[in-house]
Amino acid sequence: MSESSEANSISGRDRKTRIVATLGPASSGLEQIRALFHAGVDVFRLNMSHGEQADKVALVDAIRTVEEETGRPIAILADLQGPKLRVGTFADGSVELQEGQDFTIDLSAEPGTQERVGLPHKEIFAALEPGTHLLLDDGKIKLNVEECSRDSARCSVLVGGKLSDRKGVNVPNAVLPLAALTPKDRKDLTFALKQNVDWIALSFVQRAADVAEAKKLVSGKAAVMAKIEKPAAVEALDEIVELADGVMVARGDLGVEEPVEKVPGIQKHIISVAREAGKPVVVATQMLESMINSPVPTRAEVSDVATAVMDGADAVMLSAESAVGDYPTEAVGVMNRVAIRIEGEPTYLANRRSESATQNSSTADSITAAARQVAGSIGAKAIVTFTTSGSTALRAARERPSAPILTLTPRTEIARRLSIVWGLHTVKTKDIKTFEEMIGKSKRMAIRHGMASAGDRIVVTAGVPFGTPGATNVLHIAWISGNELK
């Protein structure tokens, strides 16, 4: 994204909730990525579990081409596979497990039979004990551990069914002694950082230390998003949110490891905790699942997306719908229309405004809360924030103001990173050095981006001295005379 984008950037989205779309075989070309962006995508997800690294290079290049064409910063999220547990293979490709039968899992590499199968993760056996439940193939098969040792576990089948090669294994009631990053993850992380991605999503987080390890390796080159998909992560949510730069409600594995009836409440809780902390939160998995094969969603799926928007999520995400589905652009269009509709409901903003700023005595939080209140009182057309680290913009978004938020930053990486955050229209622009320059630029950019015109007022927030991260300490009301662009 070039410096010239300051003058050429397109206007902001009509909605404040952001859309994340996963790229895959159905959306891998430049034309497809361009179409997805214009349909409403703000963030593109690269699923590191599938495909080759060389394929990802082409995707990154295509995304940056669209970014240059439009002048709008686009975020790229690289989603690491994480320590996914899978059984080995079977001599005949699969077996049919019967309720009540004995079935053993072990460390053997021998092909599986009706009586046993390998599970090549020795760490698992150290965490098992009699009474532990194992869920196989996304919870379709349920085993109960009867006896266990360091290299095997004899189980009884509680829920039977067909079990085939390399199906996943979940251990919902145990904190597993697994490294947060596998050797594959470390290679993928190094590759993703070389590609200058903006977000790294960390899969199967169990504890805050997992996030700390990833952040140490990332070393500020990208933001780190913790995927909440295990009961242990839900238990340690406050600590994880404090360390992470953002969180994702990853409902796929979460819905396997937790009773399905608990997932909606957990989702609301995660959104609430992230919102209070001022960290972006993404709701993901099966949001428009039927649109993999259908041009229209079910009414239940529309309601699911609407609920995430109404609950205050920063972004909603498409997975298989955009990666391998028959209607990726249509799926984005549905999300876009649903979000716009829900955000137009009279109670939307009133319900979504965080009260955290009134509980925090920091100057930065108080200034940002006041900016939202002042903008509402005087009918300001926009709130303009200047930021170098992104913290001022995150505070503004947490307040969920009625006025649009125009975020100005001299750093391309921050402009891209903020693309996932609710309500921010972020523009890369030259840095400012004086108060007068700040006010003049605020007026010009508000006009340029269609947020204000002659006779309007805007509210400006920034940190002085300029360029000091997190030092939001200025609030100014500016009147636009109409001479700013002459």
Side-chain angles (χ1 to χ4, degrees):
M1 188 174 58
S2 66
E3 192 72 50
S4 62
S5 64
E6 175 181 325
N8 299 325
S9 179
I10 62 172
S11 62
R13 300 290 195 196
D14 290 331
R15 59 179 155 72
K16 295 179 171 66
T17 307
R18 299 312 180 201
I19 294 175
V20 183
T22 304
L23 296 181
S27 51
S28 57
L30 174 59
E31 290 302 322
Q32 294 160 314
I33 291 172
R34 182 183 289 121
L36 288 172
F37 171 81
H38 287 294
V41 174
D42 304 286
V43 181
F44 287 100
R45 172 179 174 251
L46 307 181
N47 188 351
M48 306 307 292
S49 299
H50 303 292
E52 302 298 324
Q53 289 185 353
D55 300 328
K56 304 296 192 298
V57 174
L59 294 176
V60 171
D61 289 345
I63 294 166
R64 295 307 179 212
T65 296
V66 174
E67 182 181 69
E68 188 68 24
E69 290 173 354
T70 62
R72 183 181 173 89
I74 303 173
I76 300 176
L77 182 151
D79 196 336
L80 303 180
Q81 178 175 287
K84 181 72 174 178
L85 309 177
R86 298 183 185 277
V87 298
T89 59
F90 291 90
D92 297 325
S94 66
V95 296
E96 190 74 28
L97 299 183
Q98 304 296 324
E99 182 178 337
Q101 79 165 81
D102 281 354
F103 188 72
T104 297
I105 60 171
D106 55 41
L107 288 175
S108 173
E110 292 293 318
T113 67
Q114 185 66 36
E115 289 75 35
R116 58 152 298 278
V117 73
L119 182 63
H121 302 280
K122 62 182 181 180
E123 303 93 339
I124 300 304
F125 296 96
L128 298 182
E129 58 185 29
T132 300
H133 287 168
L134 302 179
L135 303 177
L136 284 61
D137 193 8
D138 289 335
K140 297 182 181 71
I141 295 171
K142 186 174 184 178
L143 308 180
N144 182 67
V145 176
E146 303 292 343
E147 299 175 353
C148 53
S149 65
R150 292 187 176 184
D151 56 10
S152 68
R154 182 179 67 81
C155 307
S156 59
V157 178
L158 300 181
V159 178
K162 182 180 179 180
L163 180 63
S164 55
D165 296 345
R166 306 192 188 285
K167 290 301 182 182
V169 179
N170 294 84
V171 191
N173 300 320
V175 176
L176 303 177
L178 296 171
L181 297 167
T182 66
K184 171 180 167 52
D185 292 331
R186 290 174 181 271
K187 291 178 183 178
D188 287 340
L189 176 59
T190 299
F191 164 79
L193 293 178
K194 285 182 179 178
Q195 296 301 310
N196 295 317
V197 304
D198 309 291
W199 285 86
I200 297 292
L202 190 62
S203 297
F204 300 110
V205 170
Q206 297 188 93
R207 55 186 81 80
D210 296 342
V211 180
E213 179 183 352
K215 293 200 74 171
K216 183 177 180 181
L217 292 172
V218 171
S219 188
K221 296 175 183 176
V224 174
M225 178 168 290
K227 294 170 67 177
I228 309 300
E229 50 195 331
K230 295 186 71 65
V234 177
E235 291 295 322
L237 184 62
D238 290 340
E239 294 83 0
I240 290 171
V241 169
E242 183 177 356
L243 277 180
D245 300 302
V247 294
M248 180 186 294
V249 189
R251 304 180 304 178
D253 279 272
L254 185 62
V256 173
E257 300 213 3
E258 292 277 18
V260 291
E261 66 272 14
K262 291 181 64 177
V263 174
I266 292 172
Q267 174 176 312
K268 289 179 182 291
H269 177 60
I270 295 171
I271 292 173
S272 176
V273 171
R275 282 284 324 286
E276 185 169 343
K279 304 288 181 73
V281 54
V282 180
V283 176
T285 319
Q286 296 180 328
M287 301 213 78
L288 296 173
E289 185 85 352
S290 71
M291 291 194 74
I292 295 173
N293 304 116
S294 170
V296 294
T298 67
R299 304 303 181 266
E301 288 168 339
V302 170
S303 182
D304 184 35
V305 175
T307 297
V309 173
M310 185 61 80
D311 285 346
D314 287 78
V316 287
M317 192 178 100
L318 296 168
S319 299
E321 302 96 329
S322 58
V324 298
D326 295 332
Y327 303 96
T329 306
E330 290 84 352
V332 174
V334 168
M335 275 193 161
N336 182 62
R337 294 194 302 274
V338 171
I340 291 172
R341 180 68 182 184
I342 295 303
E343 290 171 4
E345 294 293 328
T347 59
Y348 173 70
L349 284 175
N351 291 340
R352 296 284 60 83
R353 285 184 180 131
S354 172
E355 297 300 324
S356 58
T358 61
Q359 301 167 7
N360 192 316
S361 58
S362 76
T363 299
D365 286 323
S366 298
I367 288 288
T368 309
R372 188 256 296 171
Q373 294 166 354
V374 169
S377 297
I378 68 173
K381 294 298 183 180
I383 296 173
V384 183
T385 66
F386 285 81
T387 186
T388 54
S389 67
S391 61
T392 300
L394 288 171
R395 287 190 179 94
R398 181 176 61 183
E399 291 299 321
R400 299 302 196 251
S402 302
I405 306 168
L406 176 59
T407 300
L408 306 179
T409 180
R411 299 175 60 189
T412 298
E413 66 272 23
I414 295 301
R416 290 170 173 165
R417 195 176 298 178
L418 293 175
S419 297
I420 206 167
V421 180
W422 184 97
L424 299 184
H425 176 66
T426 305
V427 178
K428 179 180 180 292
T429 183
K430 293 178 181 178
D431 206 356
I432 54 173
K433 296 182 174 60
T434 67
F435 184 85
E436 291 74 16
E437 187 180 357
M438 176 186 76
I439 300 306
K441 176 159 285 192
S442 296
K443 294 178 181 181
R444 292 193 303 274
M445 298 304 279
I447 294 172
R448 212 170 266 170
H449 291 270
M451 294 184 178
S453 56
D456 291 334
R457 285 178 290 185
I458 60 174
V459 174
V460 184
T461 65
V464 178
F466 296 115
T468 304
T472 307
N473 55 13
V474 169
L475 186 156
H476 182 82
I477 301 171
W479 178 72
I480 296 177
S481 65
N483 297 319
E484 282 73 20
L485 290 179
K486 292 181 180 180

